[in-house]
Amino acid sequence: MNAPSTPTHLLPEVHQRPVPPALIEALRARFGAQLSTAQAVREQHGRDESPFTNVPPPAAVVFAESTADVADTVRLAAQHEVPVIPFGVGSSLEGHLLAVQGGISLDVSRMNRVLAVNGEDLTVTVQPGVTRKQLNEAIKDLGLFFPIDPGADASLGGMAATRASGTNAVRYGTMRENVLALEVVTASGEVIRTGTRAKKSSAGYDLTRLFVGSEGTLGVITELSLRVYPLPEGISAAICSFPTIADAVQTTIETIQLGVPIARCELIDANTVKMVNAHSKLGLREAHLLLMEFHGSPSSVKEQAETVQAIAHENHGQDFEWASTPEERTRLWTARHNAYFAAVQSRPGCRAISTDTCVPISRLADCLLDSVAEADASGIPYFLVGHVGDGNFHFGYLIDPNSAEERAQAEALNHQLVRRALTLGGTCTGEHGVGLHKMDFLVEEAGAGTIEVMRTIKRALDPKNILNPGKIFQL
C-alpha cells in the first residue's frame, strides 16, 4: 500500500501557530543537545497509533531530564505563546500527542527514576517517564506490584494524563483510584504539588483528580505518588472457551453481579484468537474465550475459580484450561497485550481505527452483541478484545488507509458503537481518552453546559492556550 492519507474532514479545524526563531534559539541556549530540530526526531514525536496521519510534526523536541527542564521549556514557550505537547512513549490511540497547532514536543522519557518506595505505606513516588514494566521490575523483590496495565508499556505520566486502566481494573481500579499525589508544571512554568501520600484527605479541591485525565491540557506531570499492592499469595489464570460471544458475556455479567472478586476477566473473540495464535505462536482453541485471573490466598483463589467455572458451565462454557506457572501466565497476558499488533499484522499495510466504550455491566450484552453484528455485516476485518469485567471493550477496524470507502465505513461503525453506549448509560471512552478522535462524542455525553465548565477551567489555568491545545474540546 502507498503512504496513508487521512481525509481532512476527520481533523478538527485548527491552525498552525508560528514558532519564532527566537524561541528555538532560546531553547538551544538553555538545552544544547537536549533540543532537536532533526526531521526524523520531529516526525517520531508527531505521530501515534491514532487514525490521523497527515498532521505536521512539531517544530522541535526538548528532551527534559528534570522538573526544572520542564518548567523552563513551558516558561519560554509561554513567553512566545507557542504550544507545548507532552510526550511519553507515543503509544496513545486518539491523537493526544499530535501537534495540531504546531509547537514544541516535550519528551519526558528521560525522567525515568523511581524516586522512593515506601513499602510500609504501599506507595511509591516516580518520575513521569518511568514505565509500568520498569516500576514492577523495581518493586517485585519487595513483594509489591503496580496493577494498572494498558496494553503498551506506557509511561506512568502518560497513563495518569489519560486516566488509563487495563486488564486489572475490574479489581484494582484505574489510574484515577491509584494516583495519590502529583507534581505538576502549570502553563506559566510554576511548579505545584497536589495531594499527599496519606490514604485520604478532605483538604480543599481535589486537584489531583483534575489533572488525572486532563491529557496534558492543564499542566505537565513531573512526579507521581502511586498506590502499590502486595503480590498475591496465590495467582491462577484460566481460559474458558464458549460457543458464542453471548455465552461468554453472560458468564461475565453473572460473575460480577455475584460479587466474585475476580482480578482479570478478558474477552477475546474467535477471530482475534486466530490472529493472536499466529502472532504469538500460541495454540489457543480458536473459539470465543474468557481469559481470567484470580488473586488471593490459595483457598480463596480455589473458591473463586470453582464459582466461576460453575457459572461458565451454565452458559455452555468448556472446562477451564489452566496456566499454572508464572511463565505460562506471562506468555498468555503478553499475547493478550499484543492483540493490537497481532491484528495489524494480519492485514499487512492496514491501519487500525481503534475505539473503546464502557457501559454498566447490566447493559454489556446489549451493547456488545449489537456492535458485533454491525461489524460482521460491514465486511471490514476487525479485532475485538474487552476488559469485560468492568463493562469496557475495544474494537479495532482494520482498513486500507487509501480507501475512503473503508475509512468511512469504519468511522460509521465507531459512531454507531459510541452512540449505542451513550444510550445505554455508558461513556464514549473507557480508557483511551478523548484526544482528537472523540471530541464530538464528549459533547454528546457531557452536554454543552459541562463542556463550558471544562473550558472555564482550561482558560483559568492556561489563558494562552499553550498546553496541548486542540484536544478534548475546542476553545
Side-chain angles (χ1 to χ4, degrees), residues 47-69:
R47 62 174 180 260
D48 59 8
E49 298 297 331
S50 74
F52 306 109
T53 58
N54 65 341
V55 181
V61 179
V62 173
F63 292 90
E65 298 178 356
S66 66
T67 297
D69 286 353

Side-chain angles (χ1 to χ4, degrees), residues 284-298:
L284 298 173
R285 187 195 308 265
E286 291 183 355
H288 311 295
L289 63 81
L290 291 178
L291 176 54
M292 297 168 283
E293 194 165 276
F294 307 95
H295 294 179
S297 66

Side-chain angles (χ1 to χ4, degrees), residues 130-279:
V130 174
T131 67
R132 63 179 183 87
K133 289 182 181 179
Q134 178 190 348
L135 174 58
N136 276 320
E137 187 65 26
I139 62 178
K140 68 178 183 180
D141 290 342
L142 300 174
L144 302 172
F145 83 114
F146 181 69
I148 313 304
D149 66 334
D153 187 21
S155 66
L156 292 165
M159 288 167 60
T162 55
R163 202 185 298 130
S165 52
T167 62
N168 279 310
V170 62
R171 176 158 181 169
Y172 297 98
T174 71
M175 289 299 283
R176 179 182 63 188
E177 292 78 34
N178 288 284
V179 177
L180 295 170
L182 295 171
E183 179 185 80
V184 178
V185 173
T186 69
S188 66
E190 181 182 0
V191 180
I192 66 169
R193 290 184 174 272
T194 74
T196 70
R197 291 194 303 107
K199 192 169 185 178
K200 61 182 181 180
S201 173
S202 58
Y205 295 165
D206 191 346
L207 296 182
T208 302
R209 296 298 163 281
L210 179 63
F211 286 108
V212 172
S214 65
E215 302 183 11
T217 64
L218 300 179
V220 183
I221 295 170
T222 52
E223 190 176 295
L224 309 89
S225 292
L226 306 169
R227 299 181 194 273
V228 292
Y229 297 80
L231 282 166
E233 182 183 358
I235 301 176
S236 289
I239 300 167
C240 187
S241 298
F242 295 85
T244 69
I245 292 178
D247 291 328
V249 169
Q250 188 58 35
T251 297
T252 303
I253 292 172
E254 292 177 17
T255 297
I256 300 305
Q257 291 179 337
L258 194 61
V260 178
I262 193 167
R264 287 167 153 171
C265 186
E266 295 289 299
L267 171 70
I268 310 178
D269 80 319
N271 182 53
T272 309
V273 172
K274 186 180 298 184
M275 297 174 182
V276 167
N277 277 342
H279 181 268

Side-chain angles (χ1 to χ4, degrees), residues 57-124:
V61 179
V62 173
F63 292 90
E65 298 178 356
S66 66
T67 297
D69 286 353
V70 174
D72 287 349
T73 301
V74 174
R75 193 176 301 116
L76 288 168
Q79 291 173 8
H80 296 272
E81 300 190 17
V82 168
V84 174
I85 306 100
F87 184 100
V89 298
S91 58
S92 61
L93 293 165
E94 303 291 357
H96 299 96
L97 57 82
L98 303 184
V100 292
Q101 295 188 22
I104 307 298
S105 177
L106 179 54
D107 187 320
V108 298
S109 61
R110 296 181 185 178
M111 297 176 65
N112 59 0
R113 289 188 299 133
V114 177
L115 300 173
V117 178
N118 303 100
E120 299 89 346
D121 300 322
L122 298 179
T123 68
V124 297

Side-chain angles (χ1 to χ4, degrees), residues 264-335:
R264 287 167 153 171
C265 186
E266 295 289 299
L267 171 70
I268 310 178
D269 80 319
N271 182 53
T272 309
V273 172
K274 186 180 298 184
M275 297 174 182
V276 167
N277 277 342
H279 181 268
S280 298
K281 306 298 186 290
L282 296 180
L284 298 173
R285 187 195 308 265
E286 291 183 355
H288 311 295
L289 63 81
L290 291 178
L291 176 54
M292 297 168 283
E293 194 165 276
F294 307 95
H295 294 179
S297 66
S299 60
S300 70
V301 165
K302 182 174 182 291
E303 181 182 0
Q304 292 172 48
E306 289 174 349
T307 300
V308 179
Q309 177 71 94
I311 295 171
H313 279 158
E314 292 176 0
N315 291 292
H316 313 107
Q318 301 280 330
D319 288 340
F320 283 2
E321 300 174 50
W322 295 96
S324 54
T325 67
E327 293 77 16
E328 289 173 331
R329 291 197 303 271
T330 297
R331 191 173 179 216
L332 273 178
W333 288 111
T334 298

